[in-house]
Amino acid sequence: RVIAELRKAAPENTLMITDTGNHQTWVEQYWDVYEPRSVFTPGGFAGMGFGTYGSLGVKLARPDRPVVCVTSDGSWMMFPGAVATAVEHDIPVVWVLLNNYTIGVIRDLQRFYMDGREIGTTFMKHKTGELWNPDFAKMAEAMGAGSISVDHPGDLSSAVETAFSSGRPYLVEGKINRDTA
């Protein structure tokens, strides 16, 4: 649903770049592509954070086109400084960060190969077991970008439309089900 809502809100000529993770395969399966060379994905050959900074390169190469990066909490945390760079150099890209409080693709592999166990892939407060992440929207805002956090799927389209129409670097955080496969 997230990718469908994003596609609905994004201009048809949007250039899509993905980070590494489960969200990468969701984009590959569900993002409607209208022309060649409009989706940039690392396949299995890049580290986490590839798209977070790569989106800046895509926008610099094609300044006439809207650019969106679908990333995750784990990938985005590798290089959150991309937001500061985008603000400093006025590079208006949109990051859609899917927050599931885990490095999901690694967790899923661990669960598969380790009889349902996982090690070090869930973001939580260890004393309480409460799922936890930084406030990503506030982080982006502190660096000078626009930001919004979305808790309900039906609100994603309008948030993405706002991000694209802002003409500035913008982070849209969506909280998603951590066990969606």
Side-chain angles (χ1 to χ4, degrees), residues 95-173:
W95 295 274
V96 175
L97 185 155
L98 305 181
N99 182 357
N100 63 359
Y101 301 92
T102 186
I103 301 175
V105 77
I106 302 302
R107 182 191 66 150
D108 294 348
L109 288 169
Q110 287 177 346
R111 286 179 169 181
F112 182 79
Y113 288 109
M114 297 177 7
D115 300 322
R117 293 174 293 140
E118 62 178 272
I119 301 169
T121 55
T122 293
F123 304 127
M124 73 170 90
K125 293 181 179 178
H126 288 280
K127 286 185 178 180
T128 65
E130 171 190 2
L131 295 177
W132 180 86
N133 256 328
D135 187 325
F136 296 117
K138 284 184 181 176
M139 285 176 70
E141 188 177 305
M143 290 185 261
S147 65
I148 189 167
S149 186
V150 176
D151 291 318
H152 304 289
D155 297 334
L156 183 65
S157 287
S158 64
V160 169
E161 288 171 1
T162 298
F164 276 115
S165 67
S166 75
R168 60 191 274 218
Y170 214 100
L171 177 77
V172 177
E173 174 193 16

Side-chain angles (χ1 to χ4, degrees), residues 70 83-84 91:
V70 174
V83 174
I91 306 170

Side-chain angles (χ1 to χ4, degrees), residues 53 56 76 79-91 95 139-140 142-145 169:
Y53 255 111
L56 305 183
W76 195 78
F79 298 105
V83 174
T85 300
V87 169
E88 179 182 7
H89 296 283
D90 193 26
I91 306 170
W95 295 274
M139 285 176 70
M143 290 185 261

Side-chain angles (χ1 to χ4, degrees), residues 48 61 72 133:
M48 293 168 60
S72 65
N133 256 328

